[in-house]
Amino acid sequence: MKKANSIVLNKPGKPSYNSPASDRVIVLLQTISKILERVIAACLSLVARVLKLVHHNQCGSLPTLLSFDVALSLVHTVRTLQCLRLKASPLFLDIKGGFNNVNASILCSSLKKARVPHYMVAWIDLFLSQKTCRLCFQRSPKTFSPVQVGTPQGSPTSPLLFVIYVASLHIDLNNMRSVLYVDNLALSAASPSYRTNVRILQRAFRQIWAQARAREEGFSVPKITLIH
């Protein structure tokens, strides 16, 4: 169950496919492994709610919280602020790499500090360590190579592990709200002027950037968007 085949798919709409970043790798795992992962994911989901491991503004990768919910929440926030005669400025950030950059040791350390049951932490640590995979595309080598970091994209546990891993990127500041849809973070600032909003968002971004660096995460610069 430590070996997996990885299917390489082109991300749609890319101007060039000469870079590996233009591809998405979907991991095909053993059926018996995915059954065990589904059981662990169900148990961990209950524990995460009790211990508040997932931020309340997290959408996506969780039951009943979809892209529609985060979009509706953002629209509601902006319109409420406008009714108060405030200027609203959302800043959109995309976590670079997402599932691929989850560090197992940092994740397990956080779970231990949060007092997640030992058997769950031990299972997750074993699941994310000593993995090997082989890329499946035309003329690719048929040998297995070790995978050092990341959670398998295609595993039932990966979405939940990821949102727990990035929960610290949610910060609370005056006149600002954050909402995260899987690996897309939206920061909404409000004040009487757009210039003040920019200063609020700059301060928030510095804090989030420090949290992301501590977890070996970063943001995709071309995807950063600011809307007034």
Side-chain angles (χ1 to χ4, degrees):
M1 290 189 289
K2 291 290 187 180
K3 295 183 177 180
N5 292 320
S6 300
I7 307 301
V8 181
L9 303 176
N10 292 337
K11 294 180 180 179
K14 295 293 180 179
S16 172
Y17 292 94
N18 296 326
S19 169
S22 301
D23 299 316
R24 177 177 285 109
V25 178
I26 303 298
V27 180
L28 304 182
L29 303 170
Q30 297 288 342
T31 301
I32 184 64
S33 176
K34 298 192 80 167
I35 294 174
L36 292 173
E37 293 163 42
R38 180 69 69 180
V39 172
I40 291 293
C43 296
L44 183 59
S45 179
L46 295 175
V47 172
R49 286 197 190 96
V50 174
L51 299 179
K52 298 182 179 179
L53 301 179
V54 178
H55 196 273
H56 59 272
N57 285 340
Q58 173 71 52
C59 296
S61 299
L62 298 171
T64 72
L65 293 173
L66 307 177
S67 57
F68 175 82
D69 298 293
V70 68
L72 191 62
S73 174
L74 181 59
V75 171
H76 173 74
T77 298
V78 171
R79 288 182 175 175
T80 300
L81 294 171
Q82 290 174 338
C83 288
L84 297 174
R85 299 186 181 278
L86 296 175
K87 307 292 186 181
S89 302
L91 175 67
F92 298 94
L93 305 172
D94 183 89
I95 300 175
K96 191 174 183 178
F99 290 13
N100 299 335
N101 292 328
V102 173
N103 186 300
S105 61
I106 295 177
L107 173 62
C108 291
S109 177
S110 299
L111 295 177
K112 289 178 182 177
K113 290 179 181 178
R115 301 194 177 186
V116 173
H118 175 73
Y119 81 91
M120 282 191 184
V121 180
W123 190 93
I124 292 168
D125 186 31
L126 185 63
F127 171 65
L128 296 179
S129 63
Q130 302 175 3
K131 303 189 303 295
T132 60
C133 75
R134 60 183 176 187
L135 300 178
C136 298
F137 58 91
Q138 191 174 9
R139 296 186 297 276
S140 66
K142 301 303 180 183
T143 57
F144 285 93
S145 301
V147 179
Q148 301 298 330
V149 294
T151 60
Q153 192 157 339
S155 164
T157 60
S158 290
L160 181 57
L161 292 177
F162 177 74
V163 297
I164 292 175
Y165 188 73
V166 299
S168 63
L169 298 185
H170 288 275
I171 63 172
D172 296 317
L173 292 174
N174 292 334
N175 302 323
M176 201 206 71
R177 182 187 179 193
S178 66
V179 62
L180 191 64
Y181 177 72
V182 190
D183 58 351
N184 297 281
L185 178 63
L187 305 174
S188 300
S191 73
S193 73
Y194 291 125
R195 187 181 297 275
T196 302
N197 287 352
V198 170
R199 287 197 292 267
I200 294 172
L201 292 171
Q202 286 175 332
R203 185 167 66 252
F205 181 78
R206 284 193 289 268
Q207 292 189 26
I208 293 174
W209 180 256
Q211 292 283 359
R213 290 187 63 183
R215 292 185 170 266
E216 300 183 358
E217 294 278 1
F219 298 101
S220 177
V221 175
K223 296 181 180 180
I224 296 177
T225 305
L226 173 63
I227 300 177
H228 292 306

